[in-house]
Amino acid sequence: MTGRYVLDLEEVDETRVAVVGGKGAHLGGLSRIEGIRVPDGFCVTTDAFRRAVAEVPSLDDRLDELSCLDPEDREAMRTLSAHLRRMIGDIAVPGDVSAAVIRALGRFGEQGAYAVRSSATAEDLPGASFAGQQDTYLNVLGRAAVLEHISRCWASVFTERAVVYRQRNGIDHRTVDMAVVVQRMVFPESSGILFTADPVTGNRKVATVDAGFGLGEALVSGLVNPDVFTVRDGEVVSRTIAVKERAVHALPAGGTREVVVDVRQRERPALTDEEAVRLVGLGRRIEAYFGCPQDIEWCLVDGGFRIVQSRPVTTLFPLPVLADGDSENRVYVSVGHQQMMTDAMKPLGFSMWQLTAMVPMVEAGGRLFVDVTRRLASPASRDGLLDVLGKGDPLVRDALETVLGQEGFVPSLPDVVPGGPPSAGAPAPIQTDRSVVTGLIERSRTSVAALERDIRTQEGPALFDFLLEAFEEHKRVLGDPLSMQAVMAGMDATWWLNDRLWQWLGERNAADTLTLSAPDNVTSEMGLALLDVADVIRPLPEVLAFLRDAGQLDDATFLDELAKTAGGGEARDAIEAYLDRYGMRCVGEIDITRPRWRERPTTLVPVILDNVRNFGPGAAGRRFEQGRRKALEMEQEVLSRLRTLPDGDRKADETRRMIDRVRTFIGYREYPKYGIVSRYFVYKQALLAEAERLVREGVLPEKEDAFYLTFQELHEAVRSNRVDGRLIERRKEAFRSYRELTPPRVLTSDGEALTGAYRRDDVPAGALTGLPVSAGTVEGRARVVLDMAEADLEAGDILITVFTDPSWSPLFVGIAGLVTEVGGLMTHGAVIAREYGLPAVVGVDRATRLIRDGQRIRVHGTDGYVELLP
């Protein structure tokens, strides 16, 4: 041991992040891997950093000031971060720290050249993206220069980009300490970056090598285009050799400079194929040691490779964990894209969905996926699967077809193991009879009422046994063959009408109009019911004034405080009645851990106020009746036109029967989800009661910590009265990192993440392509809304968001059109858009980033694209 201010690299490993920072810890770990050569060196520890900054008297005041800044106020951020860098950079390295550094330089060669690299405690971690935020200095000569550059590295903890990143991600500036890595400088012939997984596709079996001449800074800074080698299974499968006009070399007096590459060398590969394969082999050792794909900086010196940095690749989507020894290729389809909830879920949330779902699901990155490999492997089931998924979301079908196009990845099998998404085989037909729907709804209500009654007496471990039985009833209700027949009857009738009326009359998406104001749609009724709440509140000025300040109120006291205003009792009763019917809903409602409207009633306030502002009394009834009349007029028109065709009476009779069928059953499409969410709220209240008991007994710090345990783990915690606090902290960190990831529609066991593509040539240049789900064309102001609670909409606005589950339906009554990044023909947002007659295009990749808030756009809901207007 060389003292608490300096540690040799060989003395540390990846467990010492708090002492030597992420870069130092990873380098220490690398030095322990057999066959991996790391330049010799040492770390100046975080103790030294804290010792130095303790001599900055006003640092705490400046940090207080920094924490109060808006991260979007770039000028203030720039000014204050520069001031902090000067404050730290101006201090001399304390004497005891300086002495320890000089002793270390004596061991490694005081006259040598060194690389001095910052190593923050929050960088190079699986859940962080701090790469490039702090400073590195190369070819530093002499003890005075090394000490000076250590100070510069300390100061770089406050680079503007690092400060803004921490501020935006809620990271306390005081929690980040800075260590410094000092290593013997290497002077390579070539250098570059190795990704042990393809950074574009995510494929874990493909490695990519970027290579250039001289020091790697030429590549990192974008000075030159690199040679790129793609390596798979020990073989270079593709290569691109760039013209390398410039390189960065070390100067004899210290530092580096840009040089011009000899014209005879510019097109020479920076690596041979053999060297690229050998490098990837070293990368696989490093990956195995750290347990995840790595982003590795390397140098080629005298025919051997030196590794100067390795960090986790934080942008790859995680893979489901397979059983030991399971090496079969797998293809997974995203559940979130079907359920309109692609956000990361907490462990209690995804484990509850797994326990109550009708098919087995696996978790990856806080999202759920269904393994469809066996269905794809059988030609008989493959066509049905592609047909069903393609009707809902053509991008899923395209992604699956891309996988099927990879020769040999999906085996060909004659038999199919039951399970997975439904095949194309439709359930047996049922009579067009509305009593079927009303009977199913009543059976669901009765089942939920029985659950509410019986769960009241359950607590402790017995509650979990009760819930496991309740989950079986949950699945019985959800899998009721009659219920599935009713859902499929509405969907099949929709497709029949769209296909036949396009074929016979050239009428595109006719079912969109024919299903307006269909009965028994609990989700569209929910949006209209909030218009009725607005009718109660509109004539109450003191209530309106109170609601406009509701953002400052506590959800727990909101309704009681509302009742104290003039007319507030009537307003509270209206909101309470709404919550009694719909309070179990919320954004992302398939995740049981999400706060429900009953728990956060102020979420509804902005929508109520928009309804008050944008609509007059009686709007709900008028809108429903307008939709019903429009559907009836459309029915009469198409039947009249059909009768003029050859064999027209038969076509008209078939169409009339199918219109009756679609209007009988299409509204029920929304009810099974309502039943699920109703049961989920009952489950949640019971589980939260157990979590509150664990808090009272000191087992959990907060009841919401239970959300980071799976259902099975929470069961064990209640039984044993013990919880691993470190596990919960690891889960919180993982969840934070998962939230930043975009889940793919299709994921393979190789790690390839596929989102699919539209194969269309009928979209105008510059337009955004999507899936047409609700007919019509509308032009208006785009409002990009990522949080329903922050929506501020006016009549005629077009809603742009990532996804809409049923909880967004109250917003639909006040908008003119809808564009989402995720969705399919029969997902909830599409169904409700058709119910309300809103032109809608879904599945528009990156819509919330490509469309600016406030921009004028034109939504072509019939043809499936969005025009961005000047």
Side-chain angles (χ1 to χ4, degrees):
M1 181 66 71
T2 57
R4 65 192 182 102
Y5 293 140
V6 169
L7 295 173
D8 288 352
L9 283 176
E10 64 186 24
E11 297 179 88
V12 301
D13 61 20
E14 64 279 3
T15 66
R16 306 295 299 279
V17 172
V19 178
V20 296
K23 190 178 283 99
H26 274 72
L27 285 168
L30 284 166
S31 67
R32 297 165 182 263
I33 304 173
E34 184 178 355
I36 302 301
R37 300 179 66 182
V38 176
D40 293 336
F42 59 90
C43 298
V44 183
T45 66
T46 53
D47 278 343
F49 172 74
R50 288 190 291 269
R51 165 83 171 80
V53 299
E55 299 185 7
V56 182
S58 58
L59 181 62
D60 281 344
D61 292 340
R62 299 288 79 76
L63 290 178
D64 288 341
E65 185 179 344
L66 183 63
S67 65
C68 294
L69 290 180
D70 181 343
E72 301 307 319
D73 188 348
R74 296 303 293 270
E75 185 58 38
M77 283 280 182
R78 185 177 300 114
T79 300
L80 189 49
S81 60
H83 179 61
L84 285 162
R85 286 198 304 279
R86 286 194 301 272
M87 290 172 64
I88 295 174
D90 288 346
I91 62 174
V93 177
D96 44 359
V97 176
S98 176
V101 170
I102 291 170
R103 285 195 298 272
L105 289 173
R107 290 194 310 279
F108 291 104
E110 193 170 315
Q111 302 308 311
Y114 288 88
V116 182
R117 302 172 182 269
S118 59
S119 180
T121 55
E123 68 177 321
D124 292 354
L125 305 178
S129 300
F130 284 81
Q133 291 187 6
Q134 281 90 33
D135 293 338
T136 289
Y137 302 94
L138 300 179
N139 198 29
V140 179
L141 303 177
R143 65 166 67 168
V146 169
L147 290 169
E148 176 190 347
H149 286 86
I150 288 172
S151 289
R152 290 185 183 181
C153 285
W154 285 340
S156 74
V157 76
F158 292 111
T159 62
E160 182 186 350
R161 57 189 180 274
V163 166
V164 169
Y165 181 88
R166 292 196 295 267
Q167 201 88 334
R168 284 179 174 166
N169 288 276
I171 300 171
D172 188 342
H173 300 290
R174 290 181 174 83
T175 64
V176 181
D177 291 326
M178 180 67 79
V180 181
V181 177
V182 182
Q183 287 178 282
R184 290 298 300 262
M185 185 72 187
V186 293
F187 303 97
E189 301 101 52
S190 301
S191 58
I193 300 166
L194 161 64
F195 291 95
T196 63
D198 189 315
V200 177
T201 68
N203 195 317
R204 270 47 165 199
K205 292 186 177 179
V206 173
T208 63
V209 178
D210 289 2
F213 296 134
L215 295 168
E217 273 53 38
L219 300 186
V220 173
S221 64
L223 181 64
V224 298
N225 291 324
D227 296 342
V228 180
F229 300 82
T230 303
V231 178
R232 179 170 186 146
D233 298 328
E235 179 183 355
V236 174
V237 295
S238 70
R239 71 184 64 75
T240 301
I241 306 305
V243 177
K244 299 169 285 295
E245 297 183 351
R246 297 182 177 276
V248 174
H249 287 177
L251 293 170
T256 63
R257 71 181 175 94
E258 180 185 319
V259 299
V260 176
V261 176
D262 189 302
V263 292
R264 294 167 296 182
Q265 301 295 315
R266 290 177 181 177
E267 296 186 40
R268 179 173 68 83
L271 290 178
T272 66
D273 283 7
E274 182 275 329
E275 287 169 336
V277 170
R278 182 154 50 93
L279 174 61
V280 170
L282 298 176
R284 294 295 180 211
R285 292 189 193 181
I286 296 169
E287 179 183 65
Y289 179 86
F290 289 115
C292 62
Q294 296 288 300
D295 167 359
I296 298 166
E297 294 183 23
W298 56 269
C299 297
L300 180 64
V301 184
D302 298 328
F305 288 102
R306 307 290 191 277
I307 305 301
V308 295
Q309 188 167 328
S310 184
R311 63 172 71 90
V313 183
T314 59
T315 56
L316 299 178
F317 198 83
L319 296 178
V321 177
L322 297 176
D324 290 341
D326 186 345
S327 59
E328 291 186 18
N329 290 342
R330 306 280 182 179
V331 183
Y332 305 99
V333 171
S334 165
V335 172
H337 285 81
Q338 311 301 313
Q339 290 293 332
M340 294 298 92
M341 212 296 278
T342 55
D343 291 348
M345 299 170 72
K346 293 172 183 171
L348 185 61
F350 66 68
S351 65
M352 289 284 286
W353 194 261
Q354 286 172 308
L355 287 167
T356 54
M358 299 301 294
V359 296
M361 297 178 180
V362 294
E363 179 271 335
R367 279 80 169 187
L368 291 171
F369 294 84
V370 174
D371 184 346
V372 298
T373 315
R374 300 300 293 268
R375 288 191 176 276
L376 289 176
S378 166
S381 61
R382 179 191 307 147
D383 292 343
L385 178 72
L386 293 174
D387 184 54
V388 168
L389 293 178
K391 281 181 176 177
D393 184 346
L395 293 179
V396 172
R397 177 172 187 144
D398 182 80
L400 289 174
E401 289 177 336
T402 299
V403 176
L404 289 168
Q406 299 171 2
E407 186 175 353
F409 187 84
V410 177
S412 181
L413 299 174
D415 299 319
V416 176
V417 174
S423 67
I430 56 175
Q431 293 298 313
T432 302
D433 183 351
R434 190 169 173 223
S435 68
V436 172
V437 172
T438 55
L440 285 168
I441 290 173
E442 185 55 36
R443 283 157 65 177
S444 177
R445 288 174 177 166
T446 300
S447 178
V448 172
L451 172 66
E452 292 173 331
R453 180 190 67 237
D454 296 342
I455 205 170
R456 291 175 189 147
T457 60
Q458 304 296 327
E459 61 181 17
L463 168 67
F464 290 82
D465 295 334
F466 172 86
L467 285 173
L468 289 172
E469 293 182 10
F471 296 163
E472 294 307 309
E473 166 67 4
H474 178 123
K475 289 190 281 189
R476 187 196 67 75
V477 172
L478 189 60
D480 182 342
L482 186 61
S483 176
M484 298 178 72
Q485 288 172 324
V487 170
M488 287 305 300
M491 294 169 65
D492 286 340
T494 299
W495 293 326
W496 190 97
L497 287 165
N498 282 338
D499 290 345
R500 295 296 195 281
L501 295 181
W502 169 248
Q503 176 187 344
W504 292 338
L505 299 176
E507 192 75 44
R508 191 186 294 272
N509 299 329
D512 294 1
T513 303
L514 293 167
T515 54
L516 289 173
S517 298
D520 301 312
N521 189 318
V522 68
T523 307
S524 62
E525 290 168 1
M526 178 173 66
L528 297 177
L530 207 58
L531 286 174
D532 291 335
V533 174
D535 284 354
V536 174
I537 289 170
R538 188 178 289 104
L540 304 173
E542 291 194 25
V543 168
L544 287 170
F546 174 85
L547 292 180
R548 291 187 182 107
D549 294 330
Q552 310 301 316
L553 296 175
D554 183 354
D555 278 292
T557 61
F558 164 65
L559 292 171
D560 289 338
E561 293 297 318
L562 171 63
K564 296 176 184 177
T565 64
E570 185 181 0
R572 181 188 63 182
D573 291 345
I575 294 174
E576 282 278 14
Y578 186 85
L579 292 173
D580 287 343
R581 178 88 163 115
Y582 305 110
M584 77 295 288
R585 311 219 81 151
C586 67
V587 173
E589 60 193 11
I590 70 170
D591 182 351
I592 198 173
T593 71
R594 292 290 191 98
R596 312 284 134 173
W597 290 344
R598 170 58 78 179
E599 296 167 309
R600 288 192 185 169
T602 57
T603 303
L604 296 172
V605 170
V607 190
I608 293 172
L609 290 174
D610 283 347
N611 288 346
V612 168
R613 183 174 69 248
N614 295 329
F615 297 95
R622 285 197 305 276
R623 285 179 65 95
F624 187 84
E625 181 57 24
Q626 287 166 1
R628 193 190 66 79
R629 284 203 307 269
K630 192 172 181 181
L632 180 60
E633 289 166 3
M634 178 70 164
E635 176 181 359
Q636 293 169 342
E637 178 193 340
V638 297
L639 294 178
S640 175
R641 290 167 61 191
L642 284 170
R643 289 191 178 98
T644 67
L645 300 177
D647 198 19
D649 288 342
R650 178 189 63 80
K651 292 174 180 176
D653 288 345
E654 287 183 3
T655 301
R656 180 183 51 76
R657 287 195 298 270
M658 206 56 71
I659 291 172
D660 289 345
R661 192 166 180 79
V662 78
R663 291 192 65 80
T664 297
F665 292 114
I666 198 63
Y668 182 71
R669 166 71 180 81
E670 293 293 295
Y671 202 87
K673 181 74 170 289
Y674 177 78
I676 291 171
V677 178
S678 297
R679 299 179 74 90
Y680 261 39
F681 192 41
V682 180
Y683 303 152
K684 181 179 185 179
Q685 290 171 305
L687 291 172
L688 278 178
E690 293 300 314
E692 288 167 351
R693 183 189 63 77
L694 292 175
V695 171
R696 290 194 300 271
E697 296 185 8
V699 179
L700 286 176
E702 299 178 355
K703 65 180 181 181
E704 288 80 8
D705 286 346
F707 296 160
Y708 295 94
L709 300 172
T710 65
F711 178 84
Q712 298 85 345
E713 290 165 345
L714 182 55
H715 186 181
E716 177 59 23
V718 169
R719 187 196 64 78
S720 65
N721 240 31
R722 289 198 304 272
V723 169
D724 183 351
R726 293 171 299 179
L727 172 65
I728 289 177
E729 289 307 310
R730 289 196 301 272
R731 294 274 177 78
K732 288 180 178 179
E733 178 61 33
F735 178 71
R736 282 192 289 269
S737 68
Y738 294 158
R739 289 173 64 185
E740 302 303 314
L741 299 175
T742 300
R745 284 177 168 82
V746 171
L747 181 68
T748 74
S749 51
D750 281 359
E752 193 167 4
L754 300 103
T755 58
Y758 295 104
R759 314 293 176 177
R760 296 177 56 184
D761 56 8
D762 59 342
V763 174
L768 306 181
T769 306
L771 178 67
V773 296
S774 186
T777 301
V778 65
E779 181 178 321
R781 180 179 67 161
R783 296 312 307 265
V784 179
V785 179
L786 301 181
D787 183 344
M788 176 182 160
E790 297 176 0
D792 181 14
L793 299 167
E794 295 181 2
D797 283 347
I798 299 170
L799 174 63
I800 318 294
T801 191
V802 178
F803 60 80
T804 61
D805 58 13
S807 70
W808 288 73
S809 299
L811 293 184
F812 285 22
V813 299
I815 60 176
L818 173 70
V819 178
T820 68
E821 295 182 357
V822 176
L825 188 63
M826 283 298 173
T827 50
H828 302 279
V831 172
I832 304 308
R834 291 193 290 271
E835 277 279 322
Y836 288 166
L838 301 174
V841 180
V842 303
V844 179
D845 187 38
R846 297 176 297 145
T848 59
R849 284 167 279 182
L850 297 175
I851 301 173
R852 299 190 315 274
D853 185 51
Q855 182 176 15
R856 288 198 68 78
I857 64 173
R858 186 179 295 123
V859 177
H860 294 262
T862 304
D863 297 311
Y865 63 89
V866 180
E867 286 185 280
L868 309 180
L869 303 178

